[in-house]
Amino acid sequence: MMDLLLQQTVNAFALGGTYALLALGLAVVFSIMGLINFAHGELMTISGYTLMYCGIAGVSFLLAVPLAIAVAMIAAVLMERIAFRPVRNSSGATMLVTSFAVSMILQVLFQNLISTRSQPVILPQVLSDSITFGGLVIGVNKIAAIVATIVMLIFLDIFMKRQKTGIAMRAAAEDFNVARLMGIRANTVIAGAFALSGLLAGVAAVLWVSQRSSVAPHMGFLPVVKAFIAAILGGLGSLRGAVAGGFLLGFIEIYLAAFLPPAMQEFRDPIGLSIVVLVLLFRPNGLIPAASLKSVKV
């Protein structure tokens, strides 16, 4: 029983880390623009297809990973420039509808230009291997996911606290109007926020694909919905809350899948969402609320 608990805890950390990275991407953009970008999942899909084509072309996986992440960052910046910048001064509803439109357009393009079906991704054999610790068997891909998540969280913490662009983002998240009066350029900060969200989506995509070995047009939809739930659970707009919410949601999903009686497995998702609602009843602003709950439109 203890081995099973430890095994599922490792799985929960791996899944929760992916949710945390995606939720962070949503939270970074929301904290500055007040926008929930539901096209964030399509950045994952773009990275997944980049990995697929790199595998077909015979590109080394070690080169394909940074390339896939870079493509997601470029796609995120282009998304902000083409789709969101023209409607930046519109209502929140307009920007939300725009994000759904971008998501739908990209999904249709994936289906028509690539394939409507799931496509295999060529991965190194080492990601399929396992390491045994006593009675505990841990997949290399799970270890890689946990390590990558820790590295990204450390990087993000350093970036937001010590780098000029990160400090500008934090200032903009606190009060964008005051930040602009102090000389911070809106376009630069918002483009930087989207690039950072693309980086996080790209890393999450690599982790997701490395555990599933395939990519599909709708690959990013479900993870970004889960990330949205995680962001709300942690405290919408709070970066630390996004991390906490992502890990908590990962633990809820994995533990329910592992320990819920077989007869109750079909109710796993409703039970998981009920737990989320229960947490929000006691913490309505999330586990770690943002310093400013009211976002200023820019």
Side-chain angles (χ1 to χ4, degrees):
M1 181 63 183
M2 183 55 67
D3 286 345
L4 176 62
L5 179 62
L6 291 174
Q7 183 78 58
Q8 298 306 325
T9 299
V10 171
N11 294 339
F13 271 113
L15 179 61
T18 304
Y19 287 161
L21 294 179
L22 287 171
L24 272 171
L26 291 176
V28 166
V29 173
F30 180 84
S31 66
I32 295 173
M33 290 185 67
L35 165 70
I36 296 294
N37 182 17
F38 281 101
H40 191 64
E42 276 53 60
L43 298 175
M44 275 187 72
T45 310
I46 289 172
S47 280
Y49 279 124
T50 303
L51 286 175
M52 182 191 78
Y53 282 116
C54 284
I56 294 173
V59 177
S60 166
F61 188 74
L62 292 178
L63 293 177
V65 167
L67 181 60
I69 295 171
V71 169
M73 294 177 68
I74 294 170
V77 173
L78 290 175
M79 188 183 293
E80 186 276 327
R81 183 65 184 87
I82 297 170
F84 293 113
R85 189 172 296 184
V87 298
R88 186 187 299 169
N89 294 319
S90 303
S91 66
T94 299
M95 290 196 293
L96 185 63
V97 170
T98 301
S99 76
F100 275 115
V102 172
S103 175
M104 293 298 105
I105 290 169
L106 289 175
Q107 288 180 19
V108 170
L109 289 176
F110 296 149
Q111 292 173 358
N112 290 322
L113 299 180
I114 302 177
S115 175
T116 58
R117 298 183 178 181
S118 178
Q119 299 294 308
V121 177
I122 300 173
L123 298 174
Q125 179 60 39
V126 66
L127 291 176
S128 302
D129 295 339
S130 299
I131 299 176
T132 303
F133 295 98
L136 192 64
V137 180
I138 304 175
V140 172
N141 54 8
K142 297 289 193 302
I143 297 173
I146 294 171
V147 171
T149 300
I150 293 172
V151 170
M152 284 304 301
L153 293 179
I154 293 173
F155 161 77
L156 188 64
D157 187 64
I158 294 173
F159 175 79
M160 297 299 283
K161 290 182 178 179
R162 300 183 184 178
Q163 296 299 313
K164 183 179 179 181
T165 304
I167 294 171
M169 288 181 189
R170 289 172 58 202
E174 289 291 331
D175 192 320
F176 205 102
N177 289 330
V178 172
R180 293 174 75 174
L181 289 173
M182 295 177 67
I184 293 176
R185 298 182 60 185
N187 289 343
T188 302
V189 170
I190 293 174
F194 270 86
L196 185 58
S197 74
L199 170 65
L200 294 166
V203 174
V206 172
L207 301 182
W208 193 267
V209 170
S210 69
Q211 297 180 52
R212 289 160 180 81
S213 304
S214 65
V215 58
H218 299 283
M219 181 186 82
F221 176 74
L222 185 59
V224 83
V225 170
K226 297 292 182 67
F228 177 54
I229 295 172
I232 294 176
L233 182 61
L236 201 55
S238 167
L239 302 189
R240 294 180 184 275
V243 175
F247 278 111
L248 179 57
L249 186 61
F251 272 84
I252 290 172
E253 286 194 4
I254 293 297
Y255 280 174
L256 286 178
F259 301 114
L260 206 62
M264 297 289 290
Q265 284 294 328
E266 60 182 317
F267 303 107
R268 186 175 64 206
D269 288 340
I271 292 172
L273 290 175
S274 297
I275 295 173
V276 171
V277 171
L278 187 63
V279 172
L280 291 174
L281 285 175
F282 290 96
R283 301 283 297 179
N285 292 328
L287 298 173
I288 308 174
S292 176
L293 294 176
K294 188 175 182 181
S295 178
V296 178
K297 187 176 69 176
V298 297

